[in-house]
Amino acid sequence: MPGRSLSILLGVTGSIAAYKSLDLIRRLEGEGVSVQVVATRNALPFFPVLTAEVFSGHPVETDLFNPVLPRGEGEGRVSHLALLEKADAVLVAPASADFIARMALGLADDLLSTLLLSATVPVLIAPAMEEAMYRHPASSAHRKTLRERGVVEIPPDSGPLASGKSGLGRMASVDRILETLLPVLRETRPPSGPLSGVGVLISSGPTREPLDAVRYIGNTSSGRMGDALARAALARGARVTLVSGPTALPPPPGCDLHRVATAREMEEALGSLFPSHPLLIMAAAVSDYRMKDPVPGKRKKDGGEWTLSLVENPDILKGLAERKKAGQFLVGFAAESSLDPDRLLEKCRNKKVDLLVANDISRTDIGFSSPENEVTLVTPAGGFRTLPRADKTAIAGQILDAVLASGWTPPSALA
Ligand code: CTP
């Protein structure tokens, strides 16, 4: 079904965690996944139906005894089967202890349980209950039965529970649910797009160079630009690998994340991943220097000065550009205190990149730790184009569109 967006059926059952399902709907819609909610009767006291309908753009279905579709929509067919036809996966979040038991037993006494009994697409559950219920042998046995049938369990977190106690049983965070669900969905039906199936390798965030066991040289890069590029590439159908220095950001769902700390760790990770990726985007703010001999343990103060001896780190991008094979396209970033065209062109050619994205780091309203950016695109042939200030998501999309408009054709395989 080319062009149809991914779609899930979200089952909401009776748990206080049902309020989190609203955020889940928003985040899924943001990822381009259409959501049809089916709520059980026990969910309704906890679940703001009208808000869910506004967020999802579909009526929340609850009623099994509404057997035929309205005129013009497959008139005469049983409606719950029609709800399933559109779904690429079924996610039950929150999944209460009672509902998990009913799933395991194969009961079909309401709309959601009936749908699950007919589902042939992947099914995922995010349990939410008190710790004692979660650990009860009956609950454990039901979850085991479901797992054996291929149901994916997104295990709960520990933390404050509805009873006021603290323990295991909070529904997994929306980030963790998406991390599990989106790859399952994308495998069901890989997204189409101009980068469909193309391996895109993105470096992101700062690096940290240790001075001793607790101190380091870092920089103010938030990783937001690399994160936005990863999301934009995923939305265009790419297979994305993200090599990230330390950031506070959760990984974009569906990408393969490699976390590193130092420039040399980043060099090693990128070096082994580069040969299998046609497109490299080097958005990381790599520290140019590292401490020559980091102090073992924590350096004690001694009343005197501490003189640091720094040595240069490898230029990762330059090293990778030297190993570039036919069909590969390299995008570099430039952090400059003023955008001098001669210097930018020299950097573009010196780094041997196909496109250089230059940031003006003297501005505090854009760039490094800001959600917005304004960049100048430079090509080795001397082409200059400014992308006016916009949020990093929009800038990331425009950078990828510039790569795709450059005449580069992603190869089906690398030699
Ligand atoms: N870069 C790299 N390895 C380094 C330093 C930078 O791969 N050791 C990459 C960055 O990720 C970016 C590009 O090179 O894509 C340019 O980074 P920038 O900091 O602007 O330039 P430098 O090479 O560090 O040069 P200078 O700071 O001297 O301008």
Side-chain angles (χ1 to χ4, degrees), residues 10-308:
L10 174 64
V12 180
T13 73
S15 154
I16 194 98
Y19 77 94
K20 292 189 197 162
S21 309
L22 290 178
D23 190 25
L24 189 56
I25 298 170
R26 288 227 101 149
R27 296 280 302 278
L28 282 163
E29 294 280 332
E31 297 288 340
V33 178
S34 141
V35 182
Q36 167 67 60
V37 180
V38 175
T40 62
R41 197 165 45 84
N42 287 348
L44 295 178
F46 302 103
F47 188 57
V49 169
L50 184 59
T51 317
E53 292 184 335
V54 172
F55 283 2
S56 70
H58 298 290
V60 169
E61 301 286 347
T62 51
D63 196 357
L64 180 62
F65 301 107
N66 175 23
V68 289
L69 287 169
R71 278 183 193 283
E73 286 184 37
E75 218 176 312
R77 292 214 319 269
V78 178
S79 65
H80 66 253
L81 296 182
L83 289 175
L84 265 183
E85 266 167 27
K86 295 179 196 149
D88 296 297
V90 181
L91 165 69
V92 185
S96 66
D98 173 68
F99 194 77
I100 290 172
R102 287 161 59 205
M103 275 176 85
L105 293 172
L107 300 187
D109 56 353
D110 68 0
L111 180 58
L112 186 58
S113 55
T114 306
L115 284 167
L116 279 157
L117 213 50
S118 322
T120 53
V121 290
V123 175
L124 301 92
I125 56 167
M129 64 197 74
E130 291 296 312
E131 177 161 0
M133 291 169 90
Y134 186 75
R135 294 198 188 280
H136 193 284
S139 295
S140 300
H142 289 317
R143 289 197 311 280
K144 183 163 175 275
T145 303
L146 292 179
R147 283 196 303 271
E148 282 165 3
R149 278 185 211 145
V151 171
V152 176
E153 182 189 345
I154 306 167
D157 287 331
S158 288
L161 301 169
S163 61
K165 292 185 192 152
S166 191
L168 184 67
R170 283 168 69 84
M171 184 170 85
S173 66
V174 171
D175 282 331
R176 215 149 59 67
I177 293 177
L178 293 182
E179 266 166 45
T180 308
L181 171 67
L182 290 178
V184 171
L185 268 180
R186 291 188 172 125
E187 211 166 285
T188 320
R189 204 152 47 78
S192 55
L195 285 171
S196 185
V198 176
V200 177
L201 178 60
I202 299 170
S203 74
S204 182
T207 61
R208 277 186 188 172
E209 309 298 331
L211 303 180
D212 66 8
V214 291
R215 304 175 175 97
Y216 59 83
I217 301 174
N219 59 64
T220 55
S221 167
S222 62
R224 283 205 205 105
M225 197 63 234
D227 178 89
L229 283 160
R231 288 170 194 271
L234 287 164
R236 284 161 181 74
R239 179 173 56 77
V240 178
T241 308
L242 185 64
V243 175
S244 177
T247 72
L249 302 173
C255 83
D256 177 21
L257 175 71
H258 299 245
R259 285 212 185 271
V260 295
T262 66
R264 286 190 296 176
E265 284 169 18
M266 186 171 275
E267 182 188 36
E268 197 183 325
L270 290 172
S272 62
L273 292 162
F274 180 59
S276 56
H277 290 78
L279 175 57
L280 167 74
I281 306 180
M282 190 72 199
V286 183
S287 170
D288 286 328
Y289 293 93
R290 69 174 183 276
M291 176 95 151
K292 191 171 171 204
D293 295 305
V295 176
K298 178 174 175 250
R299 186 188 190 276
K300 297 278 174 209
K301 55 182 182 301
D302 56 13
E305 290 181 2
W306 183 11
T307 307
L308 302 180

Side-chain angles (χ1 to χ4, degrees), residues 282 284 286-288 314-317 332-336 343 347 351:
M282 190 72 199
V286 183
S287 170
D288 286 328
D315 187 325
I316 305 174
L317 183 55
F333 272 67
E336 300 289 333
R343 164 133 182 84
K347 196 177 246 190
K351 296 258 182 185

